Amino acid sequence: MQQQLANIVSEASSAAPAIKTRPEFEVFKAGLVGSKGSMTAVMKLMGSIPKEEKPAMGKLINEAKQKLEAIFAETLARIEDAELAAKLGEPIDPSLPSPDDFAGMRHPLSQIREEVCGIFHRLGFTIAEGPELETEWFCFDALNTPANHPARDMQDTLFLPADTKATDAPKKADEAYLLRSHTSSVQIRTMLSRKPPIRIVAPGRCFRRDTVDATHSANFHQIEGLWIDKNVTLKDLKSVLDSFVREVFGNAAETRLRPSFFPFTEPSFEMDIRVPNMGALSNRWLEIMGCGLVDPKVLENVGLDANEWSGLAFGMGIERIAMLVHGIDDIRHFYANDLRFLRQFA
Ligand code: PHE
């Protein structure tokens, strides 16, 4: 009987590799453990063997059954793999790239930044940059923003601890470091580092102590513009910004300059646009940026003679432009890293 069991197992294991399909497997399995199977026949003999031999035989039978189960499992797994491979048309190669072939894309804010900078580039502006960590002087004083201005309040701006050390923006001993609340500090850095005429746009990250909601984010992005030359006038401001607006929002877009106030421009305006075909926002005046002529005080602060030089400046939020262009109703979508949102701009 022991010999019979050994034969059954070794025959099964040498027959198994030839089994290629499920019906073949079923026949094979039935021939061993089915009602007329060879293993079943051996098990039936248990009834007729002497009592004292039963435990030893039981053990042998169990071992043989376990070996058969392992052969069945292995054979079935091989058949299933082959079935799957046949469905796919070829064997599975786990080293292949994911069948999801999405190759990545620029973030919608980067797309708008590049589009806007590209438009100004064609109008003769080059790109300038400045640090996100600024000193009070670059962010406020040099921009003619007095000590009692609300932007200088702890409630509006993110100041850094007094012992902060930063090498890219050296400060005076009694000055504070802050995360820049606007990109206008790059106006000052640029005017100090090059001679006019100057025509730059400065894209970058800005920070304010805003409570996050659908239209506010403590971290957002702006594009600053500065043009310093002789006899820069309001006509230049209007024509540069009008060309920009028409390129982004189409030729049917109207613009208006609405009087406003910024400490570093005089006169100052908000530019509004009105576009006929912009979904729910159609035909409504929408604010898109602050702008104006550079205040003579600012020119003096950077050592330029205000009688000789003049300028225009503007600053817009990249998020705001992107929300208008794409009809996005919540600024938080930009930062959630949800591919279902982002892929719409691929
Ligand atoms: N810095 C201003 C702001 O953050 C925008 C601005 C830039 C206004 C340049 C005028 C000129 O709101």
Side-chain angles (χ1 to χ4, degrees), residues 181-182 184 187 208 222 224 262 264-265 290-292 313-315:
S181 54
H182 53 182
S184 299
Q187 291 187 30
R208 286 184 198 173
Q222 285 190 335
E224 190 80 12
F262 297 101
F264 37 91
T265 45
C291 58
F314 54 88

Side-chain angles (χ1 to χ4, degrees), residues 38-221:
S38 50
M39 184 68 191
T40 313
V42 177
M43 281 157 72
K44 280 181 187 157
L45 296 177
M46 273 288 272
S48 59
I49 60 169
K51 219 177 176 187
E52 55 284 4
E53 285 177 28
K54 272 191 178 162
M57 276 319 295
K59 194 168 169 264
L60 287 173
I61 286 178
N62 275 339
E63 282 169 9
K65 269 166 79 180
Q66 277 169 15
K67 285 182 190 152
L68 289 180
E69 287 303 330
I71 293 170
F72 295 155
E74 195 190 303
T75 308
L76 193 57
R78 185 168 47 71
I79 292 170
E80 281 170 353
D81 279 354
E83 281 173 354
L84 186 61
K87 249 190 235 160
L88 296 172
E90 51 200 86
I92 299 166
D93 178 354
S95 68
L96 286 172
S98 157
D100 182 353
D101 63 355
F102 183 59
M105 53 168 285
R106 285 210 189 285
H107 191 280
L109 292 179
S110 303
Q111 292 179 18
I112 294 287
R113 183 195 63 215
E114 281 170 22
E115 182 184 347
V116 172
C117 288
I119 291 167
F120 283 105
H121 188 72
R122 291 194 288 282
L123 294 170
F125 289 72
T126 56
I127 306 283
E129 280 187 318
E132 291 167 7
L133 177 78
E134 263 302 358
T135 69
E136 279 186 289
W137 190 79
F138 280 103
C139 211
F140 300 130
D141 297 85
L143 286 160
N144 197 32
T145 305
N148 59 0
H149 192 278
R152 299 184 74 140
D153 199 272
M154 296 286 282
Q155 296 307 312
D156 294 305
T157 296
L158 293 151
F159 286 89
L160 276 87
D163 57 357
T164 303
K165 289 188 177 59
T167 48
D168 57 345
K171 68 176 182 73
K172 292 187 227 102
D174 58 344
E175 243 190 319
Y177 275 128
L178 50 97
L179 294 177
R180 67 180 175 193
S181 54
H182 53 182
T183 43
S184 299
S185 52
V186 188
Q187 291 187 30
I188 304 300
R189 289 189 173 272
T190 309
M191 288 189 280
L192 286 176
S193 64
R194 353 181 163 161
K195 285 194 164 50
I198 290 170
R199 240 194 264 192
I200 55 113
V201 278
R205 209 179 267 271
C206 304
F207 308 83
R208 286 184 198 173
R209 273 187 98 119
D210 276 328
T211 303
V212 177
D213 64 18
T215 53
H216 293 85
S217 165
N219 171 205
F220 60 101
H221 302 80

Side-chain angles (χ1 to χ4, degrees), residues 125 141-144 184 186-192 196 198-200 224-237 241 261-269 290-315:
F125 289 72
D141 297 85
L143 286 160
N144 197 32
S184 299
V186 188
Q187 291 187 30
I188 304 300
R189 289 189 173 272
T190 309
M191 288 189 280
L192 286 176
I198 290 170
R199 240 194 264 192
I200 55 113
E224 190 80 12
L226 176 71
W227 178 356
I228 302 288
D229 209 329
K230 297 191 169 151
N231 305 315
V232 177
T233 67
L234 273 184
K235 245 174 19 185
D236 299 309
L237 180 72
L241 295 184
F261 175 79
F262 297 101
F264 37 91
T265 45
E266 184 59 36
S268 302
F269 305 94
C291 58
L293 295 184
V294 177
D295 194 304
K297 193 81 185 45
V298 174
L299 297 173
E300 279 167 29
N301 288 345
V302 293
L304 291 177
D305 181 350
N307 293 317
E308 188 183 358
W309 299 104
S310 52
L312 62 83
F314 54 88

